[in-house]
Amino acid sequence: AVESAKGKYAHMLFNELFEDYSNALRPVEDTDKVLNVTLQITLSQIKDMDERNQILSAYLWIRQSWYDAYLRWDKDKYDGLDSIRIPSNLVWRPDIVLYNKADDDFSEPVNTNVVLRYDGKITWDAPAITKSSCVVDVSYFPFDSQQCNLTFGSWTYNGNQVDIINSLDSGDLSDFVEDVEWEIHGMPAVKNVITYGCCSEPYPDVTFTLILKRKSSFYIFNLLLPCILISFLAPLGFYLPADSGEKVSLGVTVLLALTVFQLMVAEIMPPSENVPLIGKYYIATMTMITASTALTIIIMNLHHCGSEAKPVPQWAKVVILDYMSKIFFVYDVGENCTSPKREKEEERRLEGDDGCQRRHKEVRSPLSNRNDDCNLKEKLNGNGNKSYGAHGENVRETINCCSCYKMLIKNIEYIANCVRDHKANRAKGIEWKKVAKVMDRFFMWIFFVMVFFMSVLIIGKAA
């Protein structure tokens, strides 16, 4: 019965209030009086942040309240009825819009009900999905923070007709639904009064600044960490044996893999002059891999230097073969850190010299004896021609035999020279191979240090 009585008084009140009411004009008794509109924004959810097009999509609850001078009543006259809810299109509504709107849809506000109180206060709560323009700074992507403005103001009324008042010093975040990509660090509100060039009247507006912090875990595990792991493969190209034929292939493969990640980042980011942090890391890593591939090609040319190449310069022998090889633990076959190279070479040289001297004596002794015999026979031949004619035939045979031994000695000396030259050329090639190996090891550690510091630098930006 009570509800029926209130319903009867509500119909009576509605008919009396809107009998001569017009929603076309500003509801003030004095036209020179300013109508104050209190604005409150509640952020419910961030639907999307389009960095490439620089558009923020958000779900808001917009509350506007003002006093209508023509919609008042005595609640005692209507059985204590202090408020009614009516469609919002029946009353005058301020034309407060989002100034930096970036949506193609210019539809009317949602036609929700308004709450009308007996003292003329109207409260209008309306949900809205807004798309606003937001200047995105991706310099520190994926560890970046963004500030997006939501500017609300009247489109036609100036500050002398409709004034906007902040209900709170910031947007209401009590009902915010946590976003998977962004963290909300605040939404302060600031009132601005701007005089535009077209008009002399001031136009007030309220700007809500949405402070966003990106959650970088997704990008770390999907874009940054794979790049770091791939970049650590680049220095290992120097550790591969030169005879494997895969040194250059590894560098090119790593370069192509990083190019794919670079294209993925380029599709997300807006085409601006500010290169994101992860993009700078990709470019630096790709430059490093390109340099390592070029150095690998140069070092492979040193490795394959043959007998036709020039000998290793003396400074390279001292700096690279003597000092750098020990610093980077590069040894020949059979060498280790407990048996230095100099002692090994000295032992091999002494053993080689003793063996060569013994073999030389063994070969040289019979040949020298034969040679002495030949000289003796020649002397005897000179004397034999004078005194002994019967032995002429034997002497000639001895002379022929001596000439054969002389030819044999020449051939042996030729073979020895060829072997000596071959060993010298082979030693020259071995020295160039060791130079290439030492340089490989040197650049491997250099590039490992570079990759490590670049990775620490970019991870330090996240702290």
PDB file of all heavy atoms in Angstrom, residues 7-42:
ATOM      1  N   GLY A   7       3.940   5.545  -5.650  1.00  0.00           N
ATOM      2  CA  GLY A   7       3.810   5.556  -7.094  1.00  0.00           C
ATOM      3  C   GLY A   7       2.788   6.571  -7.573  1.00  0.00           C
ATOM      4  O   GLY A   7       2.987   7.260  -8.571  1.00  0.00           O
ATOM      5  N   LYS A   8       1.671   6.709  -6.839  1.00  0.00           N
ATOM      6  CA  LYS A   8       0.660   7.696  -7.215  1.00  0.00           C
ATOM      7  C   LYS A   8       1.207   9.108  -7.095  1.00  0.00           C
ATOM      8  O   LYS A   8       1.004   9.939  -7.982  1.00  0.00           O
ATOM      9  CB  LYS A   8      -0.566   7.522  -6.317  1.00  0.00           C
ATOM     10  CG  LYS A   8      -1.691   8.488  -6.634  1.00  0.00           C
ATOM     11  CD  LYS A   8      -2.851   8.296  -5.686  1.00  0.00           C
ATOM     12  CE  LYS A   8      -2.438   8.740  -4.268  1.00  0.00           C
ATOM     13  NZ  LYS A   8      -3.613   8.715  -3.328  1.00  0.00           N
ATOM     14  N   TYR A   9       1.945   9.392  -6.009  1.00  0.00           N
ATOM     15  CA  TYR A   9       2.532  10.721  -5.837  1.00  0.00           C
ATOM     16  C   TYR A   9       3.645  10.985  -6.854  1.00  0.00           C
ATOM     17  O   TYR A   9       3.844  12.126  -7.278  1.00  0.00           O
ATOM     18  CB  TYR A   9       3.078  10.876  -4.421  1.00  0.00           C
ATOM     19  CG  TYR A   9       1.996  11.096  -3.406  1.00  0.00           C
ATOM     20  CD1 TYR A   9       1.689  10.094  -2.487  1.00  0.00           C
ATOM     21  CD2 TYR A   9       1.285  12.297  -3.361  1.00  0.00           C
ATOM     22  CE1 TYR A   9       0.686  10.294  -1.540  1.00  0.00           C
ATOM     23  CE2 TYR A   9       0.288  12.493  -2.422  1.00  0.00           C
ATOM     24  CZ  TYR A   9      -0.006  11.486  -1.517  1.00  0.00           C
ATOM     25  OH  TYR A   9      -1.006  11.676  -0.593  1.00  0.00           O
ATOM     26  N   ALA A  10       4.348   9.944  -7.262  1.00  0.00           N
ATOM     27  CA  ALA A  10       5.402  10.110  -8.261  1.00  0.00           C
ATOM     28  C   ALA A  10       4.800  10.509  -9.598  1.00  0.00           C
ATOM     29  O   ALA A  10       5.316  11.393 -10.299  1.00  0.00           O
ATOM     30  CB  ALA A  10       6.214   8.824  -8.393  1.00  0.00           C
ATOM     31  N   HIS A  11       3.699   9.851 -10.012  1.00  0.00           N
ATOM     32  CA  HIS A  11       3.045  10.241 -11.256  1.00  0.00           C
ATOM     33  C   HIS A  11       2.524  11.669 -11.188  1.00  0.00           C
ATOM     34  O   HIS A  11       2.630  12.453 -12.145  1.00  0.00           O
ATOM     35  CB  HIS A  11       1.885   9.290 -11.567  1.00  0.00           C
ATOM     36  CG  HIS A  11       2.344   7.973 -12.148  1.00  0.00           C
ATOM     37  ND1 HIS A  11       2.821   6.943 -11.397  1.00  0.00           N
ATOM     38  CD2 HIS A  11       2.399   7.561 -13.445  1.00  0.00           C
ATOM     39  CE1 HIS A  11       3.124   5.926 -12.163  1.00  0.00           C
ATOM     40  NE2 HIS A  11       2.896   6.274 -13.438  1.00  0.00           N
ATOM     41  N   MET A  12       1.954  12.001 -10.059  1.00  0.00           N
ATOM     42  CA  MET A  12       1.446  13.365  -9.879  1.00  0.00           C
ATOM     43  C   MET A  12       2.594  14.362  -9.963  1.00  0.00           C
ATOM     44  O   MET A  12       2.482  15.410 -10.624  1.00  0.00           O
ATOM     45  CB  MET A  12       0.735  13.471  -8.532  1.00  0.00           C
ATOM     46  CG  MET A  12       0.072  14.828  -8.278  1.00  0.00           C
ATOM     47  SD  MET A  12      -0.576  14.935  -6.591  1.00  0.00           S
ATOM     48  CE  MET A  12      -1.622  13.473  -6.506  1.00  0.00           C
ATOM     49  N   LEU A  13       3.709  14.048  -9.289  1.00  0.00           N
ATOM     50  CA  LEU A  13       4.869  14.950  -9.304  1.00  0.00           C
ATOM     51  C   LEU A  13       5.427  15.095 -10.708  1.00  0.00           C
ATOM     52  O   LEU A  13       5.759  16.211 -11.153  1.00  0.00           O
ATOM     53  CB  LEU A  13       5.943  14.421  -8.350  1.00  0.00           C
ATOM     54  CG  LEU A  13       7.271  15.175  -8.333  1.00  0.00           C
ATOM     55  CD1 LEU A  13       7.056  16.608  -7.872  1.00  0.00           C
ATOM     56  CD2 LEU A  13       8.288  14.452  -7.445  1.00  0.00           C
ATOM     57  N   PHE A  14       5.527  13.975 -11.410  1.00  0.00           N
ATOM     58  CA  PHE A  14       6.092  14.027 -12.757  1.00  0.00           C
ATOM     59  C   PHE A  14       5.240  14.897 -13.685  1.00  0.00           C
ATOM     60  O   PHE A  14       5.766  15.706 -14.465  1.00  0.00           O
ATOM     61  CB  PHE A  14       6.214  12.606 -13.313  1.00  0.00           C
ATOM     62  CG  PHE A  14       6.753  12.530 -14.709  1.00  0.00           C
ATOM     63  CD1 PHE A  14       8.113  12.636 -14.976  1.00  0.00           C
ATOM     64  CD2 PHE A  14       5.891  12.374 -15.794  1.00  0.00           C
ATOM     65  CE1 PHE A  14       8.592  12.580 -16.255  1.00  0.00           C
ATOM     66  CE2 PHE A  14       6.367  12.314 -17.088  1.00  0.00           C
ATOM     67  CZ  PHE A  14       7.730  12.417 -17.317  1.00  0.00           C
ATOM     68  N   ASN A  15       3.935  14.731 -13.615  1.00  0.00           N
ATOM     69  CA  ASN A  15       3.063  15.515 -14.488  1.00  0.00           C
ATOM     70  C   ASN A  15       3.131  17.006 -14.163  1.00  0.00           C
ATOM     71  O   ASN A  15       3.110  17.856 -15.064  1.00  0.00           O
ATOM     72  CB  ASN A  15       1.618  15.019 -14.344  1.00  0.00           C
ATOM     73  CG  ASN A  15       1.451  13.607 -14.910  1.00  0.00           C
ATOM     74  OD1 ASN A  15       2.171  13.228 -15.845  1.00  0.00           O
ATOM     75  ND2 ASN A  15       0.528  12.836 -14.333  1.00  0.00           N
ATOM     76  N   GLU A  16       3.242  17.331 -12.898  1.00  0.00           N
ATOM     77  CA  GLU A  16       3.305  18.739 -12.531  1.00  0.00           C
ATOM     78  C   GLU A  16       4.657  19.367 -12.887  1.00  0.00           C
ATOM     79  O   GLU A  16       4.716  20.528 -13.294  1.00  0.00           O
ATOM     80  CB  GLU A  16       3.034  18.890 -11.027  1.00  0.00           C
ATOM     81  CG  GLU A  16       1.590  18.578 -10.639  1.00  0.00           C
ATOM     82  CD  GLU A  16       1.361  18.746  -9.151  1.00  0.00           C
ATOM     83  OE1 GLU A  16       2.344  19.133  -8.450  1.00  0.00           O
ATOM     84  OE2 GLU A  16       0.228  18.515  -8.695  1.00  0.00           O
ATOM     85  N   LEU A  17       5.731  18.590 -12.717  1.00  0.00           N
ATOM     86  CA  LEU A  17       7.061  19.154 -12.998  1.00  0.00           C
ATOM     87  C   LEU A  17       7.272  19.415 -14.489  1.00  0.00           C
ATOM     88  O   LEU A  17       7.820  20.448 -14.883  1.00  0.00           O
ATOM     89  CB  LEU A  17       8.167  18.218 -12.478  1.00  0.00           C
ATOM     90  CG  LEU A  17       8.365  18.160 -10.963  1.00  0.00           C
ATOM     91  CD1 LEU A  17       9.427  17.118 -10.612  1.00  0.00           C
ATOM     92  CD2 LEU A  17       8.779  19.530 -10.426  1.00  0.00           C
ATOM     93  N   PHE A  18       6.858  18.497 -15.308  1.00  0.00           N
ATOM     94  CA  PHE A  18       7.170  18.588 -16.736  1.00  0.00           C
ATOM     95  C   PHE A  18       5.995  19.121 -17.562  1.00  0.00           C
ATOM     96  O   PHE A  18       5.989  18.971 -18.785  1.00  0.00           O
ATOM     97  CB  PHE A  18       7.582  17.212 -17.267  1.00  0.00           C
ATOM     98  CG  PHE A  18       8.920  16.747 -16.740  1.00  0.00           C
ATOM     99  CD1 PHE A  18       8.985  15.935 -15.611  1.00  0.00           C
ATOM    100  CD2 PHE A  18      10.092  17.150 -17.355  1.00  0.00           C
ATOM    101  CE1 PHE A  18      10.207  15.520 -15.111  1.00  0.00           C
ATOM    102  CE2 PHE A  18      11.311  16.730 -16.859  1.00  0.00           C
ATOM    103  CZ  PHE A  18      11.388  15.911 -15.729  1.00  0.00           C
ATOM    104  N   GLU A  19       5.045  19.739 -16.879  1.00  0.00           N
ATOM    105  CA  GLU A  19       3.910  20.296 -17.621  1.00  0.00           C
ATOM    106  C   GLU A  19       4.358  21.460 -18.484  1.00  0.00           C
ATOM    107  O   GLU A  19       3.989  21.551 -19.652  1.00  0.00           O
ATOM    108  CB  GLU A  19       2.827  20.728 -16.625  1.00  0.00           C
ATOM    109  CG  GLU A  19       1.588  21.284 -17.312  1.00  0.00           C
ATOM    110  CD  GLU A  19       0.503  21.654 -16.314  1.00  0.00           C
ATOM    111  OE1 GLU A  19       0.755  21.511 -15.081  1.00  0.00           O
ATOM    112  OE2 GLU A  19      -0.572  22.100 -16.742  1.00  0.00           O
ATOM    113  N   ASP A  20       5.150  22.359 -17.945  1.00  0.00           N
ATOM    114  CA  ASP A  20       5.640  23.513 -18.711  1.00  0.00           C
ATOM    115  C   ASP A  20       7.172  23.536 -18.799  1.00  0.00           C
ATOM    116  O   ASP A  20       7.765  24.602 -19.000  1.00  0.00           O
ATOM    117  CB  ASP A  20       5.152  24.816 -18.064  1.00  0.00           C
ATOM    118  CG  ASP A  20       3.630  24.945 -18.078  1.00  0.00           C
ATOM    119  OD1 ASP A  20       3.032  24.474 -19.055  1.00  0.00           O
ATOM    120  OD2 ASP A  20       3.093  25.474 -17.097  1.00  0.00           O
ATOM    121  N   TYR A  21       7.793  22.378 -18.638  1.00  0.00           N
ATOM    122  CA  TYR A  21       9.273  22.329 -18.606  1.00  0.00           C
ATOM    123  C   TYR A  21       9.837  22.149 -20.023  1.00  0.00           C
ATOM    124  O   TYR A  21       9.252  21.444 -20.852  1.00  0.00           O
ATOM    125  CB  TYR A  21       9.745  21.165 -17.722  1.00  0.00           C
ATOM    126  CG  TYR A  21      11.259  21.046 -17.612  1.00  0.00           C
ATOM    127  CD1 TYR A  21      11.977  21.857 -16.760  1.00  0.00           C
ATOM    128  CD2 TYR A  21      11.953  20.129 -18.391  1.00  0.00           C
ATOM    129  CE1 TYR A  21      13.353  21.754 -16.646  1.00  0.00           C
ATOM    130  CE2 TYR A  21      13.332  20.006 -18.297  1.00  0.00           C
ATOM    131  CZ  TYR A  21      14.032  20.815 -17.430  1.00  0.00           C
ATOM    132  OH  TYR A  21      15.380  20.708 -17.342  1.00  0.00           O
ATOM    133  N   SER A  22      10.965  22.804 -20.285  1.00  0.00           N
ATOM    134  CA  SER A  22      11.661  22.666 -21.572  1.00  0.00           C
ATOM    135  C   SER A  22      13.124  22.304 -21.295  1.00  0.00           C
ATOM    136  O   SER A  22      13.800  22.988 -20.496  1.00  0.00           O
ATOM    137  CB  SER A  22      11.587  23.961 -22.373  1.00  0.00           C
ATOM    138  OG  SER A  22      12.373  23.857 -23.552  1.00  0.00           O
ATOM    139  N   ASN A  23      13.615  21.261 -21.943  1.00  0.00           N
ATOM    140  CA  ASN A  23      15.004  20.820 -21.753  1.00  0.00           C
ATOM    141  C   ASN A  23      15.960  21.459 -22.758  1.00  0.00           C
ATOM    142  O   ASN A  23      17.103  21.031 -22.874  1.00  0.00           O
ATOM    143  CB  ASN A  23      15.102  19.303 -21.850  1.00  0.00           C
ATOM    144  CG  ASN A  23      14.632  18.773 -23.204  1.00  0.00           C
ATOM    145  OD1 ASN A  23      14.230  19.557 -24.075  1.00  0.00           O
ATOM    146  ND2 ASN A  23      14.667  17.463 -23.366  1.00  0.00           N
ATOM    147  N   ALA A  24      15.494  22.451 -23.469  1.00  0.00           N
ATOM    148  CA  ALA A  24      16.338  23.075 -24.478  1.00  0.00           C
ATOM    149  C   ALA A  24      17.196  24.196 -23.915  1.00  0.00           C
ATOM    150  O   ALA A  24      18.236  24.521 -24.489  1.00  0.00           O
ATOM    151  CB  ALA A  24      15.475  23.595 -25.626  1.00  0.00           C
ATOM    152  N   LEU A  25      16.773  24.806 -22.819  1.00  0.00           N
ATOM    153  CA  LEU A  25      17.487  25.957 -22.286  1.00  0.00           C
ATOM    154  C   LEU A  25      18.153  25.608 -20.972  1.00  0.00           C
ATOM    155  O   LEU A  25      17.760  24.675 -20.263  1.00  0.00           O
ATOM    156  CB  LEU A  25      16.516  27.126 -22.074  1.00  0.00           C
ATOM    157  CG  LEU A  25      15.802  27.635 -23.329  1.00  0.00           C
ATOM    158  CD1 LEU A  25      14.808  28.735 -22.967  1.00  0.00           C
ATOM    159  CD2 LEU A  25      16.814  28.158 -24.336  1.00  0.00           C
ATOM    160  N   ARG A  26      19.169  26.406 -20.664  1.00  0.00           N
ATOM    161  CA  ARG A  26      19.916  26.223 -19.439  1.00  0.00           C
ATOM    162  C   ARG A  26      19.016  26.511 -18.245  1.00  0.00           C
ATOM    163  O   ARG A  26      18.392  27.566 -18.164  1.00  0.00           O
ATOM    164  CB  ARG A  26      21.119  27.169 -19.460  1.00  0.00           C
ATOM    165  CG  ARG A  26      22.214  26.858 -18.488  1.00  0.00           C
ATOM    166  CD  ARG A  26      23.473  27.626 -18.872  1.00  0.00           C
ATOM    167  NE  ARG A  26      23.201  29.042 -19.068  1.00  0.00           N
ATOM    168  CZ  ARG A  26      23.395  29.989 -18.155  1.00  0.00           C
ATOM    169  NH1 ARG A  26      23.845  29.679 -16.961  1.00  0.00           N
ATOM    170  NH2 ARG A  26      23.136  31.249 -18.427  1.00  0.00           N
ATOM    171  N   PRO A  27      18.917  25.567 -17.274  1.00  0.00           N
ATOM    172  CA  PRO A  27      17.913  25.696 -16.188  1.00  0.00           C
ATOM    173  C   PRO A  27      18.381  26.617 -15.059  1.00  0.00           C
ATOM    174  O   PRO A  27      18.706  26.163 -13.950  1.00  0.00           O
ATOM    175  CB  PRO A  27      17.743  24.264 -15.705  1.00  0.00           C
ATOM    176  CG  PRO A  27      19.075  23.619 -15.973  1.00  0.00           C
ATOM    177  CD  PRO A  27      19.611  24.258 -17.211  1.00  0.00           C
ATOM    178  N   VAL A  28      18.449  27.906 -15.334  1.00  0.00           N
ATOM    179  CA  VAL A  28      18.794  28.894 -14.311  1.00  0.00           C
ATOM    180  C   VAL A  28      17.731  29.996 -14.337  1.00  0.00           C
ATOM    181  O   VAL A  28      17.161  30.316 -15.381  1.00  0.00           O
ATOM    182  CB  VAL A  28      20.199  29.497 -14.580  1.00  0.00           C
ATOM    183  CG1 VAL A  28      21.285  28.453 -14.327  1.00  0.00           C
ATOM    184  CG2 VAL A  28      20.310  30.055 -15.989  1.00  0.00           C
ATOM    185  N   GLU A  29      17.499  30.548 -13.160  1.00  0.00           N
ATOM    186  CA  GLU A  29      16.503  31.625 -13.074  1.00  0.00           C
ATOM    187  C   GLU A  29      17.059  32.923 -13.614  1.00  0.00           C
ATOM    188  O   GLU A  29      16.318  33.718 -14.200  1.00  0.00           O
ATOM    189  CB  GLU A  29      16.059  31.789 -11.616  1.00  0.00           C
ATOM    190  CG  GLU A  29      15.322  30.570 -11.085  1.00  0.00           C
ATOM    191  CD  GLU A  29      14.953  30.722  -9.624  1.00  0.00           C
ATOM    192  OE1 GLU A  29      15.421  31.726  -9.013  1.00  0.00           O
ATOM    193  OE2 GLU A  29      14.219  29.880  -9.105  1.00  0.00           O
ATOM    194  N   ASP A  30      18.333  33.137 -13.425  1.00  0.00           N
ATOM    195  CA  ASP A  30      18.992  34.335 -13.943  1.00  0.00           C
ATOM    196  C   ASP A  30      19.960  33.908 -15.038  1.00  0.00           C
ATOM    197  O   ASP A  30      20.851  33.076 -14.799  1.00  0.00           O
ATOM    198  CB  ASP A  30      19.728  35.049 -12.817  1.00  0.00           C
ATOM    199  CG  ASP A  30      20.323  36.387 -13.265  1.00  0.00           C
ATOM    200  OD1 ASP A  30      20.132  36.750 -14.452  1.00  0.00           O
ATOM    201  OD2 ASP A  30      21.003  37.044 -12.439  1.00  0.00           O
ATOM    202  N   THR A  31      19.801  34.433 -16.239  1.00  0.00           N
ATOM    203  CA  THR A  31      20.646  34.008 -17.359  1.00  0.00           C
ATOM    204  C   THR A  31      22.101  34.411 -17.191  1.00  0.00           C
ATOM    205  O   THR A  31      22.989  33.841 -17.833  1.00  0.00           O
ATOM    206  CB  THR A  31      20.106  34.595 -18.674  1.00  0.00           C
ATOM    207  OG1 THR A  31      20.025  36.038 -18.548  1.00  0.00           O
ATOM    208  CG2 THR A  31      18.727  34.050 -18.984  1.00  0.00           C
ATOM    209  N   ASP A  32      22.352  35.369 -16.342  1.00  0.00           N
ATOM    210  CA  ASP A  32      23.738  35.776 -16.098  1.00  0.00           C
ATOM    211  C   ASP A  32      24.414  34.921 -15.031  1.00  0.00           C
ATOM    212  O   ASP A  32      25.605  35.093 -14.773  1.00  0.00           O
ATOM    213  CB  ASP A  32      23.786  37.244 -15.656  1.00  0.00           C
ATOM    214  CG  ASP A  32      23.322  38.182 -16.761  1.00  0.00           C
ATOM    215  OD1 ASP A  32      23.469  37.795 -17.944  1.00  0.00           O
ATOM    216  OD2 ASP A  32      22.825  39.274 -16.445  1.00  0.00           O
ATOM    217  N   LYS A  33      23.685  34.022 -14.431  1.00  0.00           N
ATOM    218  CA  LYS A  33      24.239  33.172 -13.385  1.00  0.00           C
ATOM    219  C   LYS A  33      24.928  31.961 -14.005  1.00  0.00           C
ATOM    220  O   LYS A  33      24.460  31.399 -14.984  1.00  0.00           O
ATOM    221  CB  LYS A  33      23.117  32.738 -12.438  1.00  0.00           C
ATOM    222  CG  LYS A  33      23.619  31.983 -11.207  1.00  0.00           C
ATOM    223  CD  LYS A  33      22.441  31.631 -10.297  1.00  0.00           C
ATOM    224  CE  LYS A  33      22.931  30.880  -9.069  1.00  0.00           C
ATOM    225  NZ  LYS A  33      21.810  30.524  -8.146  1.00  0.00           N
ATOM    226  N   VAL A  34      26.018  31.573 -13.381  1.00  0.00           N
ATOM    227  CA  VAL A  34      26.775  30.420 -13.871  1.00  0.00           C
ATOM    228  C   VAL A  34      26.190  29.149 -13.297  1.00  0.00           C
ATOM    229  O   VAL A  34      25.891  29.070 -12.095  1.00  0.00           O
ATOM    230  CB  VAL A  34      28.274  30.540 -13.493  1.00  0.00           C
ATOM    231  CG1 VAL A  34      29.053  29.320 -13.974  1.00  0.00           C
ATOM    232  CG2 VAL A  34      28.868  31.815 -14.051  1.00  0.00           C
ATOM    233  N   LEU A  35      26.033  28.136 -14.144  1.00  0.00           N
ATOM    234  CA  LEU A  35      25.565  26.823 -13.709  1.00  0.00           C
ATOM    235  C   LEU A  35      26.784  25.928 -13.467  1.00  0.00           C
ATOM    236  O   LEU A  35      27.581  25.692 -14.374  1.00  0.00           O
ATOM    237  CB  LEU A  35      24.651  26.209 -14.771  1.00  0.00           C
ATOM    238  CG  LEU A  35      24.105  24.812 -14.457  1.00  0.00           C
ATOM    239  CD1 LEU A  35      23.199  24.866 -13.222  1.00  0.00           C
ATOM    240  CD2 LEU A  35      23.352  24.252 -15.657  1.00  0.00           C
ATOM    241  N   ASN A  36      26.908  25.465 -12.246  1.00  0.00           N
ATOM    242  CA  ASN A  36      28.031  24.610 -11.880  1.00  0.00           C
ATOM    243  C   ASN A  36      27.688  23.146 -12.111  1.00  0.00           C
ATOM    244  O   ASN A  36      26.640  22.672 -11.640  1.00  0.00           O
ATOM    245  CB  ASN A  36      28.416  24.817 -10.412  1.00  0.00           C
ATOM    246  CG  ASN A  36      28.922  26.218 -10.144  1.00  0.00           C
ATOM    247  OD1 ASN A  36      29.607  26.821 -10.976  1.00  0.00           O
ATOM    248  ND2 ASN A  36      28.566  26.769  -8.979  1.00  0.00           N
ATOM    249  N   VAL A  37      28.593  22.456 -12.803  1.00  0.00           N
ATOM    250  CA  VAL A  37      28.440  21.026 -13.076  1.00  0.00           C
ATOM    251  C   VAL A  37      29.613  20.306 -12.422  1.00  0.00           C
ATOM    252  O   VAL A  37      30.774  20.601 -12.706  1.00  0.00           O
ATOM    253  CB  VAL A  37      28.408  20.727 -14.587  1.00  0.00           C
ATOM    254  CG1 VAL A  37      28.312  19.225 -14.832  1.00  0.00           C
ATOM    255  CG2 VAL A  37      27.240  21.452 -15.234  1.00  0.00           C
ATOM    256  N   THR A  38      29.286  19.385 -11.517  1.00  0.00           N
ATOM    257  CA  THR A  38      30.318  18.599 -10.829  1.00  0.00           C
ATOM    258  C   THR A  38      30.567  17.316 -11.621  1.00  0.00           C
ATOM    259  O   THR A  38      29.610  16.586 -11.931  1.00  0.00           O
ATOM    260  CB  THR A  38      29.884  18.264  -9.402  1.00  0.00           C
ATOM    261  OG1 THR A  38      29.594  19.473  -8.701  1.00  0.00           O
ATOM    262  CG2 THR A  38      30.987  17.508  -8.682  1.00  0.00           C
ATOM    263  N   LEU A  39      31.841  17.075 -11.909  1.00  0.00           N
ATOM    264  CA  LEU A  39      32.225  15.937 -12.752  1.00  0.00           C
ATOM    265  C   LEU A  39      33.068  14.962 -11.938  1.00  0.00           C
ATOM    266  O   LEU A  39      33.989  15.370 -11.221  1.00  0.00           O
ATOM    267  CB  LEU A  39      33.017  16.419 -13.970  1.00  0.00           C
ATOM    268  CG  LEU A  39      33.493  15.354 -14.954  1.00  0.00           C
ATOM    269  CD1 LEU A  39      32.309  14.677 -15.636  1.00  0.00           C
ATOM    270  CD2 LEU A  39      34.425  15.961 -16.001  1.00  0.00           C
ATOM    271  N   GLN A  40      32.747  13.685 -12.057  1.00  0.00           N
ATOM    272  CA  GLN A  40      33.526  12.621 -11.422  1.00  0.00           C
ATOM    273  C   GLN A  40      33.694  11.471 -12.418  1.00  0.00           C
ATOM    274  O   GLN A  40      32.717  11.039 -13.040  1.00  0.00           O
ATOM    275  CB  GLN A  40      32.837  12.135 -10.144  1.00  0.00           C
ATOM    276  CG  GLN A  40      33.585  10.998  -9.456  1.00  0.00           C
ATOM    277  CD  GLN A  40      32.878  10.519  -8.201  1.00  0.00           C
ATOM    278  OE1 GLN A  40      32.001  11.220  -7.670  1.00  0.00           O
ATOM    279  NE2 GLN A  40      33.236   9.337  -7.731  1.00  0.00           N
ATOM    280  N   ILE A  41      34.946  10.994 -12.554  1.00  0.00           N
ATOM    281  CA  ILE A  41      35.258   9.919 -13.491  1.00  0.00           C
ATOM    282  C   ILE A  41      35.732   8.708 -12.696  1.00  0.00           C
ATOM    283  O   ILE A  41      36.619   8.809 -11.834  1.00  0.00           O
ATOM    284  CB  ILE A  41      36.350  10.343 -14.491  1.00  0.00           C
ATOM    285  CG1 ILE A  41      35.876  11.544 -15.306  1.00  0.00           C
ATOM    286  CG2 ILE A  41      36.724   9.187 -15.409  1.00  0.00           C
ATOM    287  CD1 ILE A  41      34.676  11.258 -16.178  1.00  0.00           C
ATOM    288  N   THR A  42      35.150   7.571 -12.997  1.00  0.00           N
ATOM    289  CA  THR A  42      35.566   6.303 -12.406  1.00  0.00           C
ATOM    290  C   THR A  42      36.094   5.405 -13.519  1.00  0.00           C
ATOM    291  O   THR A  42      35.383   5.127 -14.500  1.00  0.00           O
ATOM    292  CB  THR A  42      34.403   5.606 -11.689  1.00  0.00           C
ATOM    293  OG1 THR A  42      33.906   6.457 -10.660  1.00  0.00           O
ATOM    294  CG2 THR A  42      34.852   4.281 -11.100  1.00  0.00           C
TER     295      THR A  42
END
